[in-house]
Amino acid sequence: MGSRAEFIAQQAAALAPLDFIVVTVMRKPPGAVELSREQDGGFLVRAASPKVPFDAAQAKALSALGFTEKEDAWGSAAVADVASAAALVERVVTEVFAASEEAAVDLDHGSRRPIVEAQQKLEAMRARIVPILHELVGGPPPVDDDGDYALKLGSVEVIVSPVAAPNMLPVLRIFAITNVGVNLTPELGLFLSRVNFTLMFGRFALDTDHRAVWFSETLLGEAFSDEELRFTVAMVAETADEWDDRIAQMFGGATRSALPEEQAVPPKPGQAGGYL
């Protein structure tokens, strides 16, 4: 192996599981080769041409090296040792991207650990809350297109939304749409602010883009107790049911419970601006 491949091998040997390096070939268009260490300690190599898709000759060369096309990149089979993985990277650089042994490359480090850990926290949170939600609705909790749980409690639909993002605390968002099509007036904003001041738990929010009112509460995803979840779901349902008719009488529009199920509803909190 040449000095470039030896350098890549040295960098790859220092990778912890779920870490990776990206070797970028400075050409037009640029090409990139990723070498990652998997959780089991093995390696994978991926090749991508971000600006222009691989041409027929490049695809043939990748196939000859044992790569298969996966979405927007080509991936190798599992590679057991770092020397073989580094050698495969070098072959992609020279045989696919036609870079000479002296050609300069950029090397960047990264890690998928935050993403994987967030996914694991999300799965653990789902496994924990589903039995409780099952108990509350007397059966498997319905799941909507976003993977959130839509609970019909009396006349109110309560959404339980587990959220886990990389490098952030996981949270459980519990909310209900109370009203839609409200008249947007300064008095409505003032009214919701005053109501919020009197509430011990939860808060109302105004989605000005979609003329909708929401009521929500958030729990830290790794800190709440089972009883806190039961209480919060019930509290959101009861508070939404208590105020939705009053808001409709005072500021127009309709309660969410009065709309047919097939009627479109606004985006969920966090997907629209204008919240108090």
Side-chain angles (χ1 to χ4, degrees), residues 226-273:
D226 293 357
E227 189 54 39
E228 283 179 296
L229 174 56
R230 295 187 187 95
F231 168 81
T232 303
V233 170
M235 179 272 297
V236 168
E238 291 169 5
T239 307
D241 187 48
E242 177 184 356
W243 288 95
D244 57 357
D245 287 325
R246 291 192 237 182
I247 293 171
Q249 291 169 3
M250 296 174 67
F251 301 102
T255 64
R256 173 65 185 91
S257 60
L259 296 177
E261 289 299 321
E262 65 273 11
Q263 185 165 334
V265 297
K268 295 177 182 176
Q271 296 175 312

Side-chain angles (χ1 to χ4, degrees), residues 170-235:
V171 298
L172 195 62
R173 307 187 70 179
I174 303 168
F175 58 90
I177 306 171
T178 62
N179 299 77
V180 296
V182 294
N183 297 318
L184 298 179
T185 64
E187 290 75 18
L188 172 58
L190 181 60
F191 173 80
L192 294 179
S193 295
R194 286 174 171 170
V195 173
N196 283 342
F197 185 73
T198 68
L199 297 174
M200 185 172 296
F201 301 101
R203 71 184 182 103
F204 282 97
L206 177 61
D207 174 3
T208 57
D209 290 339
H210 301 91
R211 297 172 59 198
V213 177
W214 308 76
F215 182 74
S216 66
E217 180 63 289
T218 300
L219 300 175
L220 289 179
E222 295 179 326
F224 65 88
S225 68
D226 293 357
E227 189 54 39
E228 283 179 296
L229 174 56
R230 295 187 187 95
F231 168 81
T232 303
V233 170
M235 179 272 297

Side-chain angles (χ1 to χ4, degrees), residues 16 47 51-52 68 119 126 139 155 164 175 218 232 249 251:
K51 299 294 185 181
V52 178
T68 55
Q119 292 172 338
R126 289 185 183 280
S155 64
F175 58 90
T218 300
T232 303
Q249 291 169 3
F251 301 102

